[in-house]
């Protein structure tokens, strides 16, 4: 029977969370908003509209949302040519693919951003499909991104593992009925990830790769 390994990308496979924090901080600053970086860090992983609502609150001017998202996208785009993969990210995907897993990326990135992330990972031959936030009505922590990834893989929830780095990832996995595995390389504390539903926690993709003989992908 087929099995699916679904991966978040930012902060899970590619070391981008703090780049996103910097880009969001500057985009918000330019628009007159002072948001602490630690607040932005905890919000990374939400879709753009959800992140803006989360950090500015419901009493913000929603007419600014699109402009803030566009400013973040432009600022973050300056890093596209040098996005760093996390240790053994590509090797992990290739190993899972070789062992018969259908590898699916679940990310809000698209277009040039997704291309830059995939170049950083350097494992295109191992990736079966990519589930974009643009293809669902709600992003994480709603279960739809994970459910869409399972549809693309053609695999039921009970035969899938979802790997992510934020509480939003773990909540989405739990709501989709998928086993959630967390990595710490996105900067979120272990206790928060476990409280959000992580059934196993590793330092980074290298740690997860080393665990394969007896870990969640065994």
């Amino acid at each position: 029977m087929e099995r699916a390994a679904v991966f978040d990308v930012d902060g899970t496979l590619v070391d981008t969370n703090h780049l996103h924090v910097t880009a969001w901080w500057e985009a918000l600053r330019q628009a007159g908003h002072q948001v602490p970086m630690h607040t932005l860090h905890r919000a990374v992983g939400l879709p753009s509209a959800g992140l803006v609502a989360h950090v500015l609150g419901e009493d913000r001017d929603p007419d600014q949302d699109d402009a803030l998202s566009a400013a973040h996208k432009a600022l973050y785009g300056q890093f596209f040519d040098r996005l760093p993969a996390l240790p053994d990210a590509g090797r992990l995907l290739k190993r899972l693919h070789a062992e018969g897993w259908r590898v699916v990326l679940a990310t809000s990135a698209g277009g040039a951003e997704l291309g830059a992330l995939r170049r950083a990972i350097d494992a295109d031959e191992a990736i079966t499909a990519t589930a974009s936030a643009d293809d669902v009505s709600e992003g994480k922590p709603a279960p739809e991104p994970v459910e869409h990834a399972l549809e693309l893989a053609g695999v039921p929830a009970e035969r899938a593992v979802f790997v992510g780095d934020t509480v939003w990832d773990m909540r989405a996995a739990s709501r989709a009925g998928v086993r959630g595995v967390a990595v710490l390389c996105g900067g979120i504390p272990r206790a928060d990830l476990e409280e959000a539903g992580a059934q196993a926690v590793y330092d980074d993709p290298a740690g997860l790769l080393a665990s394969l003989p007896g870990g969640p992908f065994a």
Side-chain angles (χ1 to χ4, degrees):
M1 294 179 66
E2 299 292 347
R3 302 170 295 173
V6 182
F7 284 86
D8 170 65
V9 180
D10 284 299
T12 300
L13 297 173
V14 187
D15 194 10
T16 54
N17 280 9
H18 291 88
L19 299 177
H20 277 296
V21 169
T22 299
W24 274 117
W25 179 85
E26 179 61 16
L28 288 159
R29 187 198 67 81
Q30 290 176 3
H33 303 287
Q34 296 295 328
V35 180
M37 287 195 179
H38 71 84
T39 300
L40 291 166
H41 181 215
R42 299 302 291 262
V44 166
L46 290 169
S48 290
L51 184 145
V52 172
H54 184 76
V55 301
L56 294 184
E58 296 302 325
D59 59 347
R60 75 193 187 286
D61 178 4
D63 291 340
Q64 282 193 332
D65 288 5
D66 289 345
L68 287 169
S69 295
H72 161 262
K73 185 175 181 179
L75 290 160
Y76 179 66
Q78 299 175 53
F79 301 111
F80 281 0
D81 62 347
R82 55 193 186 279
L83 298 181
L86 283 154
D88 283 342
R91 286 184 60 204
L92 173 61
L93 300 194
K94 292 173 185 176
R95 172 78 172 274
L96 289 169
H97 174 71
E99 292 184 0
W101 290 81
R102 292 188 176 180
V103 176
V104 181
L105 305 182
T107 176
S108 58
E113 180 181 352
L114 178 58
L117 291 166
R118 292 184 67 141
R119 285 193 299 275
I121 299 166
D122 191 24
D124 275 358
E125 68 273 24
I127 298 169
T128 299
T130 299
S132 169
D134 294 336
D135 300 326
V136 297
S137 59
E138 285 190 83
K140 303 168 194 170
E144 291 179 50
V146 182
E147 292 168 345
H148 179 51
L150 298 180
E151 290 173 5
L152 293 175
V155 173
E158 61 270 19
R159 295 192 59 78
V161 176
F162 179 83
V163 182
D165 68 298
T166 69
V167 296
W168 320 115
D169 292 327
M170 295 303 100
R171 290 175 185 171
S174 294
R175 293 169 184 174
V178 174
R179 184 177 188 186
V181 172
V183 287
L184 298 171
C185 43
I188 302 302
R190 177 186 297 268
D192 291 8
L193 295 166
E194 290 176 340
E195 183 180 353
Q199 297 182 32
V201 182
Y202 296 88
D203 286 342
D204 53 21
L208 186 50
L209 177 62
S211 80
L212 288 186
F217 290 98

